Amino acid sequence: MQTARWLAAAGLTLAMATPAFAQNDKMTPIATPAQPNAIELGTGALPGAKATESWHQQYGSVFARNVTVATLTPFLPDPAKASGAAVIVAPGGAFRALSMANEGWDVAKALADKGVAAFVLKYRLVQTPPDLPGFERAMGQLFADAGKRGGPPQQKNPATELAPQIADARAAFALVRSRAAEWHVDPDRIGMVGFSAGAMLTMSTALHGQDAKPAFIGNIYGPLHAVTVPADAPPLFVALAADDPLFGNGGYGVIDSWRAAKRPVEFHLFEQGGHGFGMYPKTTTSTGWFDAFARWLAMHGYLQRKG
């Protein structure tokens, strides 16, 4: 995997505003929001971490930085319409921030409204300067270096490079399965959906997460390079905008990989939408990704009670 290149490229997400939200592109520090339902995952503190967790507002959304302790926040559906399916939701942000509202809480609420239990994963992040100006400079340098390199770096193993984040995802699956009866979840019907870097974590969890074994996965504007697909790979849903400045011109190898392995895959390539559209109410058709994802879940039986 060209992991380091994607980490650098995904940093642009935090430096670019889409036209609809350009007026809100300034980063403003905010107090850490109350998260009374967040459950620590027990994967420990990030080794060697010195900066502490902080939050800021941008693009009308909120972001967490320097996450050192992973948590999982449940968003449970009305028991009367709960299907028994569940989704681990992984926000994006170049593994240096997490878009907690647009790619986390808002997605989870929408899934719960469909009868699917959703769990927002706040995974541990690469450390960045604690002050916002320092953070912005660090992110600028990150993708400037990628541009100077003029090509992909030496390929690295995501199982090693993303070890803390994959451990957090595995712990999330283990926690939901351990409390499946309490949360009215079928332990065999737990999937994962991720956005940008969160999509990369979702793919890595499916391919390298050992006991995680998601029942289905969603890759929303993440990298789409070719991969080796195991015989038991889960059904895959992919959504990407053709004008995505990060991944819109990188090919669609993962689609071919899934099809060659004769595993279920659905791919939505939207004409416009840019990167990071998430749950924002934009005028582009990319806004329809969630409805398409919900229909895909229904097609596979995840919006209906089993048995």
Side-chain angles (χ1 to χ4, degrees):
M1 282 192 180
Q2 299 168 2
T3 307
R5 185 184 187 189
W6 297 334
L7 294 179
L12 285 166
T13 306
L14 303 175
M16 292 187 310
T18 56
F21 298 95
Q23 68 273 22
N24 299 319
D25 63 352
K26 180 177 175 57
M27 294 183 187
T28 305
I30 60 173
T32 299
Q35 301 161 79
N37 298 323
I39 303 167
E40 288 193 12
L41 284 171
T43 48
L46 184 72
K50 296 181 180 180
T52 57
E53 183 176 317
S54 61
W55 290 64
H56 66 272
Q57 188 168 8
Q58 188 181 25
Y59 310 142
S61 187
V62 295
F63 296 79
R65 296 189 296 115
N66 290 321
V67 174
T68 61
V69 176
T71 67
L72 195 70
T73 300
F75 289 77
L76 303 178
D78 182 336
K81 64 177 182 180
S83 70
V87 180
I88 307 296
V89 181
F95 294 103
R96 285 151 175 80
L98 293 175
S99 180
M100 291 299 295
N102 181 48
E103 297 173 351
W105 302 330
D106 293 347
V107 176
K109 291 173 185 175
L111 285 165
D113 189 57
K114 296 289 186 182
V116 176
F119 301 85
V120 177
L121 175 60
K122 188 174 72 174
Y123 50 90
R124 291 172 291 173
L125 298 173
V126 175
Q127 290 265 286
T128 59
D131 62 299
L132 275 180
F135 172 66
E136 290 184 280
R137 287 192 298 271
M139 294 304 296
Q141 188 63 51
L142 181 71
F143 58 81
D145 289 346
K148 290 177 184 177
R149 196 162 42 235
Q154 183 177 0
Q155 293 185 354
K156 298 181 180 181
N157 182 358
T160 301
E161 193 169 359
L162 300 180
Q165 293 78 24
I166 293 174
D168 294 342
R170 291 178 62 195
F173 276 92
L175 176 62
V176 175
R177 290 187 175 121
S178 72
R179 299 179 64 172
E182 173 190 348
W183 287 331
H184 305 289
V185 166
D186 183 337
D188 295 325
R189 303 173 75 205
I190 306 170
M192 186 172 182
V193 63
F195 302 79
S196 194
M200 182 176 171
L201 176 57
T202 297
M203 299 299 296
S204 297
T205 300
L207 299 174
H208 307 286
Q210 301 175 31
D211 54 352
K213 296 191 178 302
F216 55 89
I217 53 176
N219 177 332
I220 314 302
Y221 46 80
L224 301 182
H225 64 285
V227 297
T228 300
V229 181
D232 62 348
L236 168 64
F237 178 95
V238 177
L240 179 73
D243 63 350
D244 186 313
L246 306 184
F247 307 125
N249 296 309
Y252 315 116
V254 73
I255 311 301
D256 295 332
S257 298
W258 239 255
R259 295 188 68 190
K262 301 187 185 306
R263 299 304 298 153
V265 58
E266 179 156 332
F267 178 32
H268 293 258
L269 181 65
F270 299 101
E271 178 187 338
Q272 298 178 34
H275 189 80
F277 46 83
M279 299 299 285
Y280 287 135
K282 298 181 69 175
T283 58
T284 58
T285 55
S286 60
T287 298
W289 81 266
F290 181 81
D291 290 338
F293 182 58
R295 287 193 297 272
W296 181 77
L297 291 176
M299 181 177 71
H300 283 275
Y302 290 112
L303 298 191
Q304 295 80 37
R305 292 180 187 268
K306 187 177 180 181

